[in-house]
Amino acid sequence: MPTLSVFADVPPAQKLEGSLLKTYKQDDCPNKMFLAYKVCMNNEGRPWVSSVVRQIRPQIMQDPSLNHEYRPVMGMKSFLQASLQLLFGKHSPVIVENRAGGVHTVGDSGAFQLGAQFLKTWCCDYQIVYIISSQKEPHGLVFQDMGFTVFEHSFWDAKHLCMDPNMLLDVVEAPHGCIFVVGNLGNCKLTQHQWAKLLATMKSKQIFPFFDIPYQGMFTGDMEEDTRFLQYFVSGGFEFFCSQSLSKNFGIYDEGVGVLVVVALNNQLLLCVLSQLMNFTLALWRNPPTTGARIITSILCNPALCEAWKQSLKEVVENIMLIKEKVREKLRLLGTPGSWNHITEQQGSHGYLGLDSQQVEYLVKKKHIYIPKNSRINFTCINARNINYITESINEAVLFTSDSKKGVLQDNGSQLE
């Protein structure tokens, strides 16, 4: 008699991502290109790793004093201190007053998993989460699984091809006592007056901020500038959480190093929050992996290595800006219809091309250039070897779809006659 499996009624999960990459890998075209990698690429088309990381990693591995004992549940103290000072600055009030702390988390979503669990348990009145970013964020699923009601909004205005700061300013529509998960604020330019209005509304509505800092230093090349917006909330007397990812800006993607940062009104409140987070951490992963944390700590705590690392980030940002400028200029020289200034107006390695679904489909099916349906690509995937093919293909896609639309309008006009 056959044994019935306990998993017999388990269906395959809905595919959330990866189908584009799978299609790309199955494509036999020798000229195929994938422009949606998550990691930063170098000029050779390989994942970028900071030269300082390559220098320090062998030294750590060969250190005879290194042991492999379990590390503290919260993470290495030196790592957490260095990470917090990187985020806020050594002389920030939250550092000086000892009211900022952190927990070493696992992977890109670990901080959101831990933070969401804490908020669900200890802040029961906060049931609604607004996720506001320049793209659809995967951590929305984390909050949904925790039972929060989640609303997602994007800064990107596809109609006008720009980032719309009004999406963040429309907090007047948000209910009292909700959570704002905000990411990629570097692309959302607010005036001093707008910042003051935003903070006043959030405070009056008791909105709890949960920030996402996925790659500090890779937006503008300036560490302080990339997190300057946090100072508004610090000076405004806000308490908040922050997901600080340290994998991308060091180029150690497989290490998945992050920190859940907590800012409280005073040290006593901070210690209470951290104690509860430690209990959740014991249940989730107990002890964080330390290889990535050791690499980061060794660099941040050595002034010469830290300066060299910051310089490597500036070079990456300068290269990204140069790539965008070249793409925009080549499209202009090709006479591609439309304005392409939005390409250089966006900061960071990823940005929107501003193509519609028909143009994206043309690139994928006709030119074997794989990009997401929203046309948000990784500009570091473009280099000297492929930029001409990519820009010529974009021009071709725009012209083809323009001709198609004209043909449809002419046909409709003939029918009316």
Side-chain angles (χ1 to χ4, degrees), residues 125-128 130 168-180 197-209 238:
D125 292 337
Y126 290 82
Q127 296 294 324
I128 297 176
Y130 284 79
L168 189 59
L169 295 171
D170 287 344
V171 292
V172 290
E173 305 297 330
H176 185 278
C178 62
I179 301 165
F180 266 26
K197 179 183 176 182
L198 173 66
L199 268 62
T201 307
M202 289 182 67
K203 180 152 281 191
S204 66
K205 290 203 163 198
Q206 294 186 326
I207 293 173
F208 183 80
F238 278 82

Side-chain angles (χ1 to χ4, degrees), residues 184-379:
N184 290 327
L185 265 179
N187 268 323
C188 191
K189 304 299 182 183
L190 299 179
T191 64
Q192 291 282 353
H193 174 72
Q194 288 174 322
W195 274 116
K197 179 183 176 182
L198 173 66
L199 268 62
T201 307
M202 289 182 67
K203 180 152 281 191
S204 66
K205 290 203 163 198
Q206 294 186 326
I207 293 173
F208 183 80
F210 197 146
F211 299 108
D212 182 20
I213 312 291
Y215 26 72
Q216 184 181 356
M218 298 186 80
F219 252 74
T220 64
D222 185 322
M223 290 289 164
E224 294 183 8
E225 184 62 31
D226 281 5
T227 56
R228 189 174 301 279
F229 69 90
L230 288 177
Q231 304 309 323
Y232 291 110
F233 290 88
V234 169
S235 60
F238 278 82
E239 295 180 302
F240 58 84
F241 282 172
C242 183
S243 170
Q244 179 188 23
S245 176
L246 294 161
S247 298
K248 295 173 184 174
N249 50 4
F250 282 88
I252 48 176
Y253 315 100
D254 57 341
E255 299 293 348
V257 186
V259 179
L260 173 61
V261 176
V262 182
V263 171
L265 293 181
N266 57 55
N267 179 255
Q268 184 177 359
L269 291 169
L270 173 67
L271 294 177
C272 290
V273 174
L274 292 177
S275 69
Q276 294 295 338
L277 288 172
M278 184 171 70
N279 286 342
F280 291 128
T281 303
L282 285 168
L284 287 170
W285 52 73
R286 192 174 181 88
N287 299 98
T290 57
T291 300
R294 284 192 173 108
I295 292 171
I296 292 168
T297 307
S298 298
I299 294 172
L300 294 181
C301 293
N302 182 309
L305 292 177
C306 186
E307 190 57 37
W309 168 67
K310 290 180 180 179
Q311 183 58 39
S312 71
L313 286 180
K314 288 180 181 179
E315 292 170 0
V316 168
V317 172
E318 289 171 359
N319 186 55
I320 292 170
M321 292 170 63
L322 184 60
I323 291 169
K324 291 179 178 180
E325 288 171 1
K326 286 182 177 179
V327 170
R328 183 192 64 182
E329 183 62 11
K330 284 182 178 292
L331 290 173
R332 186 188 70 81
L333 292 174
L334 287 166
T336 310
S339 170
W340 299 92
N341 291 333
H342 60 277
I343 290 177
T344 51
E345 289 168 354
Q346 300 172 75
Q347 292 179 315
S349 58
H350 291 67
Y352 291 91
L353 285 174
L355 303 179
D356 61 31
S357 58
Q358 191 177 1
Q359 292 160 350
V360 169
E361 185 179 13
Y362 184 92
L363 288 177
V364 173
K365 293 186 176 181
K366 299 292 185 180
K367 310 304 293 186
H368 304 273
I369 298 175
Y370 290 82
I371 67 175
K373 292 179 180 178
N374 63 5
S375 82
R376 188 172 188 267
I377 70 166
N378 181 348
F379 279 93

Side-chain angles (χ1 to χ4, degrees), residues 16-35:
L16 297 175
E17 63 176 355
S19 58
L20 186 68
L21 182 59
K22 182 179 179 181
T23 307
Y24 163 77
K25 289 180 177 179
Q26 293 173 344
D27 191 341
D28 295 327
C29 178
N31 295 324
K32 65 180 181 180
M33 297 176 190
F34 191 78
L35 305 185

